[in-house]
Amino acid sequence: DIQMTQSPSSLSASVGDRVTITCRASQSISNFLTWYQQKPGKAPKLLIYAASSLQSGVPSRFSGRGSGTDFSLTISSLQPEDFATYYCQQSYSTPHTFGQGTKLEIK
Amino acid sequence: QITLKESGPTLVKPTQTLTLTCTFSGFSLSTSGVAVGWIRQPPGKALEWLGIIYWDDDKRYSPSLKSRLTFTKDTSKNQVVLTMTSMDPVDTATYYCAHRSEQWLEFDYWGQGTLVTVSS
């Protein structure tokens, strides 16, 4: 199985901050990397697919980059609605494993 | 517009078998390339990929749960069914079904999830 490791596990930041979350795969996954946002009690929401493609309707302050084993999700200017938990997932080979999540909290 | 919704028991006893149904609309699971996945999330924990069923009835399961999981589909009803045997309290989780995109294989549409508690 491909292991997905996110860092940090939690992050405190303020509205307006620029934040970056990283995700590392245990082997190359090309750019089969997806980012999801999840708020309490809700299903995950697709943000970024193919490592860097923004899902329709997602604000442009979200961006993704990377290929191979190292990936990142950046929020350029945090908004109050962005405080949530973020997950990466690889879809290169089954099982399509998720990272352990990064909880973004208000400082 | 694609929608999915999970249904089934909210409480099961240890050793029992769980059966969940994912009812969807806006796509057909008989169309080439289409797939529906299952994901679960224990309270306060991370998402766990359980597996996926494809339009051609091929299935892939999480290796750690493969012996206990079965997915079936009923294309006439637009439903996918998850069956998990030998339920244990550690299987307490919110179970989601989701539509898998055809190109980059991400889950682009999710059901609302259903919380299943395993307790005697």
Side-chain angles (χ1 to χ4, degrees):
Chain A
D1 299 2
I2 297 174
Q3 307 303 315
M4 305 300 293
T5 304
Q6 288 182 234
S7 61
S9 296
S10 63
L11 176 60
S12 294
S14 301
V15 172
D17 284 353
R18 177 185 180 92
V19 298
T20 296
I21 298 167
T22 64
C23 179
R24 175 166 288 179
S26 59
Q27 65 186 75
S28 177
I29 58 171
S30 183
N31 55 345
F32 283 87
L33 192 284
T34 304
W35 290 99
Y36 302 93
Q37 176 193 67
Q38 187 180 35
K39 296 183 179 180
K42 299 295 186 182
K45 173 187 173 184
L46 173 62
L47 296 178
I48 302 280
Y49 63 95
S52 60
S53 295
L54 194 66
Q55 174 70 352
S56 176
V58 173
S60 59
R61 63 181 180 272
F62 291 91
S63 64
R65 61 183 300 168
S67 68
T69 60
D70 292 314
F71 303 86
S72 62
L73 171 71
T74 296
I75 310 172
S76 60
S77 178
L78 275 173
Q79 298 303 300
E81 60 268 29
D82 300 337
F83 292 94
T85 300
Y86 294 84
Y87 293 94
C88 63
Q89 183 201 16
Q90 65 83 16
S91 53
Y92 182 78
S93 68
T94 58
H96 291 169
T97 41
F98 290 90
Q100 82 278 17
T102 295
K103 186 173 184 179
L104 180 52
E105 299 174 302
I106 301 174
K107 184 182 288 185
Chain B
Q1 180 190 1
I2 290 176
T3 64
L4 306 97
K5 187 174 184 179
E6 307 85 354
S7 59
T10 58
L11 179 66
V12 298
K13 290 181 167 49
T15 76
Q16 286 187 337
T17 294
L18 170 68
T19 301
L20 293 176
T21 300
C22 175
T23 303
F24 55 85
S25 63
F27 66 95
S28 172
L29 200 40
S30 59
T31 300
S32 179
V34 176
V36 171
W38 287 95
I39 306 97
R40 72 178 179 179
Q41 185 173 38
K45 296 189 177 181
L47 300 166
E48 179 183 11
W49 187 88
L50 299 181
I52 198 160
I53 183 167
Y54 298 91
W55 80 99
D56 60 358
D57 210 33
D58 191 15
K59 296 128 185 174
R60 293 289 184 267
Y61 298 105
S62 167
S64 63
L65 294 168
K66 186 175 183 178
S67 63
R68 299 172 52 207
L69 272 175
T70 303
F71 302 148
T72 59
K73 63 182 177 72
D74 185 332
T75 53
S76 65
K77 293 183 179 178
N78 280 350
Q79 291 180 334
V80 170
V81 175
L82 173 155
T83 303
M84 184 179 292
T85 61
S86 303
M87 292 293 284
D88 182 271
V90 300
D91 297 312
T92 294
T94 296
Y95 287 76
Y96 296 98
C97 62
H99 173 271
R100 189 213 67 173
S101 82
E102 296 174 35
Q103 184 174 9
W104 291 100
L105 315 182
E106 73 278 11
F107 291 126
D108 50 2
Y109 296 91
W110 293 65
Q112 63 189 25
T114 186
L115 175 61
V116 177
T117 301
V118 184
S119 174
S120 55

